[in-house]
mmCIF file with all atom_site columns, all heavy atoms in Angstrom:
data_model
loop_
_atom_site.group_PDB
_atom_site.id
_atom_site.type_symbol
_atom_site.label_atom_id
_atom_site.label_alt_id
_atom_site.label_comp_id
_atom_site.label_asym_id
_atom_site.label_entity_id
_atom_site.label_seq_id
_atom_site.pdbx_PDB_ins_code
_atom_site.Cartn_x
_atom_site.Cartn_y
_atom_site.Cartn_z
_atom_site.occupancy
_atom_site.B_iso_or_equiv
_atom_site.pdbx_formal_charge
_atom_site.auth_seq_id
_atom_site.auth_comp_id
_atom_site.auth_asym_id
_atom_site.auth_atom_id
_atom_site.pdbx_PDB_model_num
ATOM 1   N N   . GLY A 1 383 ? -14.173 17.426 0.538  1.00 97.00 ? 537 GLY A N   1
ATOM 2   C CA  . GLY A 1 383 ? -13.862 18.198 1.733  1.00 97.00 ? 537 GLY A CA  1
ATOM 3   C C   . GLY A 1 383 ? -12.449 18.720 1.603  1.00 97.00 ? 537 GLY A C   1
ATOM 4   O O   . GLY A 1 383 ? -11.874 18.727 0.509  1.00 97.00 ? 537 GLY A O   1
ATOM 5   N N   . PHE A 1 384 ? -11.878 19.139 2.719  1.00 96.00 ? 538 PHE A N   1
ATOM 6   C CA  . PHE A 1 384 ? -10.553 19.753 2.676  1.00 96.00 ? 538 PHE A CA  1
ATOM 7   C C   . PHE A 1 384 ? -9.736  19.337 3.890  1.00 96.00 ? 538 PHE A C   1
ATOM 8   O O   . PHE A 1 384 ? -10.280 19.114 4.970  1.00 96.00 ? 538 PHE A O   1
ATOM 9   C CB  . PHE A 1 384 ? -10.679 21.281 2.629  1.00 96.00 ? 538 PHE A CB  1
ATOM 10  C CG  . PHE A 1 384 ? -11.529 21.777 1.500  1.00 96.00 ? 538 PHE A CG  1
ATOM 11  C CD1 . PHE A 1 384 ? -12.863 22.106 1.707  1.00 96.00 ? 538 PHE A CD1 1
ATOM 12  C CD2 . PHE A 1 384 ? -11.010 21.862 0.221  1.00 96.00 ? 538 PHE A CD2 1
ATOM 13  C CE1 . PHE A 1 384 ? -13.668 22.532 0.669  1.00 96.00 ? 538 PHE A CE1 1
ATOM 14  C CE2 . PHE A 1 384 ? -11.807 22.289 -0.847 1.00 96.00 ? 538 PHE A CE2 1
ATOM 15  C CZ  . PHE A 1 384 ? -13.146 22.621 -0.621 1.00 96.00 ? 538 PHE A CZ  1
ATOM 16  N N   . ASN A 1 385 ? -8.443  19.230 3.684  1.00 95.00 ? 539 ASN A N   1
ATOM 17  C CA  . ASN A 1 385 ? -7.513  18.970 4.775  1.00 95.00 ? 539 ASN A CA  1
ATOM 18  C C   . ASN A 1 385 ? -6.751  20.270 5.030  1.00 95.00 ? 539 ASN A C   1
ATOM 19  O O   . ASN A 1 385 ? -5.937  20.687 4.206  1.00 95.00 ? 539 ASN A O   1
ATOM 20  C CB  . ASN A 1 385 ? -6.554  17.842 4.401  1.00 95.00 ? 539 ASN A CB  1
ATOM 21  C CG  . ASN A 1 385 ? -5.910  17.200 5.601  1.00 95.00 ? 539 ASN A CG  1
ATOM 22  O OD1 . ASN A 1 385 ? -6.494  17.150 6.682  1.00 95.00 ? 539 ASN A OD1 1
ATOM 23  N ND2 . ASN A 1 385 ? -4.704  16.700 5.429  1.00 95.00 ? 539 ASN A ND2 1
ATOM 24  N N   . PHE A 1 386 ? -7.040  20.919 6.146  1.00 94.00 ? 540 PHE A N   1
ATOM 25  C CA  . PHE A 1 386 ? -6.452  22.222 6.429  1.00 94.00 ? 540 PHE A CA  1
ATOM 26  C C   . PHE A 1 386 ? -5.017  22.087 6.928  1.00 94.00 ? 540 PHE A C   1
ATOM 27  O O   . PHE A 1 386 ? -4.703  21.249 7.772  1.00 94.00 ? 540 PHE A O   1
ATOM 28  C CB  . PHE A 1 386 ? -7.255  22.964 7.497  1.00 94.00 ? 540 PHE A CB  1
ATOM 29  C CG  . PHE A 1 386 ? -8.587  23.472 7.026  1.00 94.00 ? 540 PHE A CG  1
ATOM 30  C CD1 . PHE A 1 386 ? -9.735  23.264 7.783  1.00 94.00 ? 540 PHE A CD1 1
ATOM 31  C CD2 . PHE A 1 386 ? -8.698  24.178 5.842  1.00 94.00 ? 540 PHE A CD2 1
ATOM 32  C CE1 . PHE A 1 386 ? -10.965 23.741 7.371  1.00 94.00 ? 540 PHE A CE1 1
ATOM 33  C CE2 . PHE A 1 386 ? -9.929  24.659 5.407  1.00 94.00 ? 540 PHE A CE2 1
ATOM 34  C CZ  . PHE A 1 386 ? -11.064 24.437 6.171  1.00 94.00 ? 540 PHE A CZ  1
ATOM 35  N N   . LEU A 1 387 ? -4.161  22.945 6.414  1.00 86.00 ? 541 LEU A N   1
ATOM 36  C CA  . LEU A 1 387 ? -2.807  23.114 6.905  1.00 86.00 ? 541 LEU A CA  1
ATOM 37  C C   . LEU A 1 387 ? -2.713  24.550 7.407  1.00 86.00 ? 541 LEU A C   1
ATOM 38  O O   . LEU A 1 387 ? -2.402  25.466 6.638  1.00 86.00 ? 541 LEU A O   1
ATOM 39  C CB  . LEU A 1 387 ? -1.766  22.892 5.805  1.00 86.00 ? 541 LEU A CB  1
ATOM 40  C CG  . LEU A 1 387 ? -1.656  21.493 5.195  1.00 86.00 ? 541 LEU A CG  1
ATOM 41  C CD1 . LEU A 1 387 ? -2.749  21.231 4.160  1.00 86.00 ? 541 LEU A CD1 1
ATOM 42  C CD2 . LEU A 1 387 ? -0.291  21.331 4.529  1.00 86.00 ? 541 LEU A CD2 1
ATOM 43  N N   . PRO A 1 388 ? -3.015  24.812 8.690  1.00 80.00 ? 542 PRO A N   1
ATOM 44  C CA  . PRO A 1 388 ? -3.043  26.189 9.167  1.00 80.00 ? 542 PRO A CA  1
ATOM 45  C C   . PRO A 1 388 ? -1.707  26.891 8.960  1.00 80.00 ? 542 PRO A C   1
ATOM 46  O O   . PRO A 1 388 ? -0.643  26.297 9.167  1.00 80.00 ? 542 PRO A O   1
ATOM 47  C CB  . PRO A 1 388 ? -3.363  26.047 10.661 1.00 80.00 ? 542 PRO A CB  1
ATOM 48  C CG  . PRO A 1 388 ? -3.973  24.707 10.789 1.00 80.00 ? 542 PRO A CG  1
ATOM 49  C CD  . PRO A 1 388 ? -3.323  23.854 9.748  1.00 80.00 ? 542 PRO A CD  1
ATOM 50  N N   . PHE A 1 389 ? -1.783  28.154 8.558  1.00 63.00 ? 543 PHE A N   1
ATOM 51  C CA  . PHE A 1 389 ? -0.554  28.918 8.336  1.00 63.00 ? 543 PHE A CA  1
ATOM 52  C C   . PHE A 1 389 ? 0.265   28.983 9.611  1.00 63.00 ? 543 PHE A C   1
ATOM 53  O O   . PHE A 1 389 ? 1.474   28.799 9.606  1.00 63.00 ? 543 PHE A O   1
ATOM 54  C CB  . PHE A 1 389 ? -0.922  30.320 7.853  1.00 63.00 ? 543 PHE A CB  1
ATOM 55  C CG  . PHE A 1 389 ? 0.265   31.117 7.396  1.00 63.00 ? 543 PHE A CG  1
ATOM 56  C CD1 . PHE A 1 389 ? 1.013   30.697 6.315  1.00 63.00 ? 543 PHE A CD1 1
ATOM 57  C CD2 . PHE A 1 389 ? 0.631   32.270 8.063  1.00 63.00 ? 543 PHE A CD2 1
ATOM 58  C CE1 . PHE A 1 389 ? 2.113   31.424 5.894  1.00 63.00 ? 543 PHE A CE1 1
ATOM 59  C CE2 . PHE A 1 389 ? 1.727   33.001 7.641  1.00 63.00 ? 543 PHE A CE2 1
ATOM 60  C CZ  . PHE A 1 389 ? 2.469   32.577 6.560  1.00 63.00 ? 543 PHE A CZ  1
ATOM 61  N N   . TYR A 1 390 ? -0.394  29.264 10.718 1.00 65.00 ? 544 TYR A N   1
ATOM 62  C CA  . TYR A 1 390 ? 0.207   29.131 12.041 1.00 65.00 ? 544 TYR A CA  1
ATOM 63  C C   . TYR A 1 390 ? -0.752  28.289 12.876 1.00 65.00 ? 544 TYR A C   1
ATOM 64  O O   . TYR A 1 390 ? -1.960  28.504 12.847 1.00 65.00 ? 544 TYR A O   1
ATOM 65  C CB  . TYR A 1 390 ? 0.396   30.478 12.738 1.00 65.00 ? 544 TYR A CB  1
ATOM 66  C CG  . TYR A 1 390 ? 1.504   31.334 12.196 1.00 65.00 ? 544 TYR A CG  1
ATOM 67  C CD1 . TYR A 1 390 ? 1.238   32.624 11.749 1.00 65.00 ? 544 TYR A CD1 1
ATOM 68  C CD2 . TYR A 1 390 ? 2.811   30.873 12.149 1.00 65.00 ? 544 TYR A CD2 1
ATOM 69  C CE1 . TYR A 1 390 ? 2.264   33.436 11.265 1.00 65.00 ? 544 TYR A CE1 1
ATOM 70  C CE2 . TYR A 1 390 ? 3.836   31.663 11.665 1.00 65.00 ? 544 TYR A CE2 1
ATOM 71  C CZ  . TYR A 1 390 ? 3.562   32.942 11.220 1.00 65.00 ? 544 TYR A CZ  1
ATOM 72  O OH  . TYR A 1 390 ? 4.568   33.729 10.738 1.00 65.00 ? 544 TYR A OH  1
ATOM 73  N N   . LEU A 1 391 ? -0.222  27.338 13.636 1.00 65.00 ? 545 LEU A N   1
ATOM 74  C CA  . LEU A 1 391 ? -1.084  26.542 14.498 1.00 65.00 ? 545 LEU A CA  1
ATOM 75  C C   . LEU A 1 391 ? -1.450  27.294 15.774 1.00 65.00 ? 545 LEU A C   1
ATOM 76  O O   . LEU A 1 391 ? -2.613  27.365 16.158 1.00 65.00 ? 545 LEU A O   1
ATOM 77  C CB  . LEU A 1 391 ? -0.397  25.216 14.851 1.00 65.00 ? 545 LEU A CB  1
ATOM 78  C CG  . LEU A 1 391 ? -0.466  24.137 13.775 1.00 65.00 ? 545 LEU A CG  1
ATOM 79  C CD1 . LEU A 1 391 ? 0.466   22.993 14.122 1.00 65.00 ? 545 LEU A CD1 1
ATOM 80  C CD2 . LEU A 1 391 ? -1.907  23.625 13.632 1.00 65.00 ? 545 LEU A CD2 1
ATOM 81  N N   . ASN A 1 392 ? -0.458  27.845 16.425 1.00 59.00 ? 546 ASN A N   1
ATOM 82  C CA  . ASN A 1 392 ? -0.665  28.411 17.755 1.00 59.00 ? 546 ASN A CA  1
ATOM 83  C C   . ASN A 1 392 ? -0.647  29.940 17.725 1.00 59.00 ? 546 ASN A C   1
ATOM 84  O O   . ASN A 1 392 ? 0.126   30.586 18.382 1.00 59.00 ? 546 ASN A O   1
ATOM 85  C CB  . ASN A 1 392 ? 0.397   27.879 18.728 1.00 59.00 ? 546 ASN A CB  1
ATOM 86  C CG  . ASN A 1 392 ? 1.796   27.961 18.147 1.00 59.00 ? 546 ASN A CG  1
ATOM 87  O OD1 . ASN A 1 392 ? 1.978   27.731 16.966 1.00 59.00 ? 546 ASN A OD1 1
ATOM 88  N ND2 . ASN A 1 392 ? 2.780   28.277 18.968 1.00 59.00 ? 546 ASN A ND2 1
ATOM 89  N N   . TYR A 1 393 ? -1.541  30.505 16.915 1.00 60.00 ? 547 TYR A N   1
ATOM 90  C CA  . TYR A 1 393 ? -1.621  31.962 16.770 1.00 60.00 ? 547 TYR A CA  1
ATOM 91  C C   . TYR A 1 393 ? -3.074  32.305 16.467 1.00 60.00 ? 547 TYR A C   1
ATOM 92  O O   . TYR A 1 393 ? -3.748  31.566 15.740 1.00 60.00 ? 547 TYR A O   1
ATOM 93  C CB  . TYR A 1 393 ? -0.710  32.418 15.631 1.00 60.00 ? 547 TYR A CB  1
ATOM 94  C CG  . TYR A 1 393 ? -0.786  33.887 15.303 1.00 60.00 ? 547 TYR A CG  1
ATOM 95  C CD1 . TYR A 1 393 ? -0.412  34.845 16.236 1.00 60.00 ? 547 TYR A CD1 1
ATOM 96  C CD2 . TYR A 1 393 ? -1.230  34.317 14.060 1.00 60.00 ? 547 TYR A CD2 1
ATOM 97  C CE1 . TYR A 1 393 ? -0.483  36.193 15.936 1.00 60.00 ? 547 TYR A CE1 1
ATOM 98  C CE2 . TYR A 1 393 ? -1.296  35.669 13.748 1.00 60.00 ? 547 TYR A CE2 1
ATOM 99  C CZ  . TYR A 1 393 ? -0.922  36.593 14.689 1.00 60.00 ? 547 TYR A CZ  1
ATOM 100 O OH  . TYR A 1 393 ? -0.996  37.940 14.392 1.00 60.00 ? 547 TYR A OH  1
ATOM 101 N N   . PRO A 1 394 ? -3.599  33.409 17.018 1.00 53.00 ? 548 PRO A N   1
ATOM 102 C CA  . PRO A 1 394 ? -4.993  33.755 16.752 1.00 53.00 ? 548 PRO A CA  1
ATOM 103 C C   . PRO A 1 394 ? -5.340  33.853 15.264 1.00 53.00 ? 548 PRO A C   1
ATOM 104 O O   . PRO A 1 394 ? -6.482  33.645 14.883 1.00 53.00 ? 548 PRO A O   1
ATOM 105 C CB  . PRO A 1 394 ? -5.149  35.116 17.453 1.00 53.00 ? 548 PRO A CB  1
ATOM 106 C CG  . PRO A 1 394 ? -4.159  35.063 18.571 1.00 53.00 ? 548 PRO A CG  1
ATOM 107 C CD  . PRO A 1 394 ? -2.981  34.299 18.022 1.00 53.00 ? 548 PRO A CD  1
ATOM 108 N N   . GLY A 1 395 ? -4.377  34.176 14.421 1.00 57.00 ? 549 GLY A N   1
ATOM 109 C CA  . GLY A 1 395 ? -4.634  34.225 12.985 1.00 57.00 ? 549 GLY A CA  1
ATOM 110 C C   . GLY A 1 395 ? -4.407  32.897 12.294 1.00 57.00 ? 549 GLY A C   1
ATOM 111 O O   . GLY A 1 395 ? -4.480  32.812 11.077 1.00 57.00 ? 549 GLY A O   1
ATOM 112 N N   . GLY A 1 396 ? -4.141  31.837 13.078 1.00 75.00 ? 550 GLY A N   1
ATOM 113 C CA  . GLY A 1 396 ? -3.866  30.539 12.491 1.00 75.00 ? 550 GLY A CA  1
ATOM 114 C C   . GLY A 1 396 ? -4.985  29.558 12.750 1.00 75.00 ? 550 GLY A C   1
ATOM 115 O O   . GLY A 1 396 ? -6.071  29.663 12.176 1.00 75.00 ? 550 GLY A O   1
ATOM 116 N N   . LEU A 1 397 ? -4.751  28.589 13.656 1.00 87.00 ? 551 LEU A N   1
ATOM 117 C CA  . LEU A 1 397 ? -5.756  27.570 13.921 1.00 87.00 ? 551 LEU A CA  1
ATOM 118 C C   . LEU A 1 397 ? -7.056  28.189 14.420 1.00 87.00 ? 551 LEU A C   1
ATOM 119 O O   . LEU A 1 397 ? -8.147  27.798 13.995 1.00 87.00 ? 551 LEU A O   1
ATOM 120 C CB  . LEU A 1 397 ? -5.222  26.556 14.942 1.00 87.00 ? 551 LEU A CB  1
ATOM 121 C CG  . LEU A 1 397 ? -6.207  25.466 15.365 1.00 87.00 ? 551 LEU A CG  1
ATOM 122 C CD1 . LEU A 1 397 ? -6.691  24.669 14.171 1.00 87.00 ? 551 LEU A CD1 1
ATOM 123 C CD2 . LEU A 1 397 ? -5.580  24.555 16.406 1.00 87.00 ? 551 LEU A CD2 1
ATOM 124 N N   . GLU A 1 398 ? -6.958  29.154 15.314 1.00 89.00 ? 552 GLU A N   1
ATOM 125 C CA  . GLU A 1 398 ? -8.184  29.755 15.846 1.00 89.00 ? 552 GLU A CA  1
ATOM 126 C C   . GLU A 1 398 ? -8.968  30.500 14.770 1.00 89.00 ? 552 GLU A C   1
ATOM 127 O O   . GLU A 1 398 ? -10.194 30.592 14.847 1.00 89.00 ? 552 GLU A O   1
ATOM 128 C CB  . GLU A 1 398 ? -7.853  30.682 17.018 1.00 89.00 ? 552 GLU A CB  1
ATOM 129 C CG  . GLU A 1 398 ? -7.392  29.924 18.254 1.00 89.00 ? 552 GLU A CG  1
ATOM 130 C CD  . GLU A 1 398 ? -7.073  30.840 19.422 1.00 89.00 ? 552 GLU A CD  1
ATOM 131 O OE1 . GLU A 1 398 ? -7.436  32.038 19.361 1.00 89.00 ? 552 GLU A OE1 1
ATOM 132 O OE2 . GLU A 1 398 ? -6.451  30.365 20.388 1.00 89.00 ? 552 GLU A OE2 1
ATOM 133 N N   . ALA A 1 399 ? -8.279  31.025 13.768 1.00 91.00 ? 553 ALA A N   1
ATOM 134 C CA  . ALA A 1 399 ? -8.992  31.666 12.666 1.00 91.00 ? 553 ALA A CA  1
ATOM 135 C C   . ALA A 1 399 ? -9.833  30.649 11.905 1.00 91.00 ? 553 ALA A C   1
ATOM 136 O O   . ALA A 1 399 ? -10.888 30.987 11.354 1.00 91.00 ? 553 ALA A O   1
ATOM 137 C CB  . ALA A 1 399 ? -7.996  32.336 11.716 1.00 91.00 ? 553 ALA A CB  1
#
Side-chain angles (χ1 to χ4, degrees):
F538 305 98
N539 200 30
F540 288 133
L541 295 79
F543 189 63
Y544 287 124
L545 280 169
N546 47 322
Y547 175 63
L551 177 58
E552 290 180 13

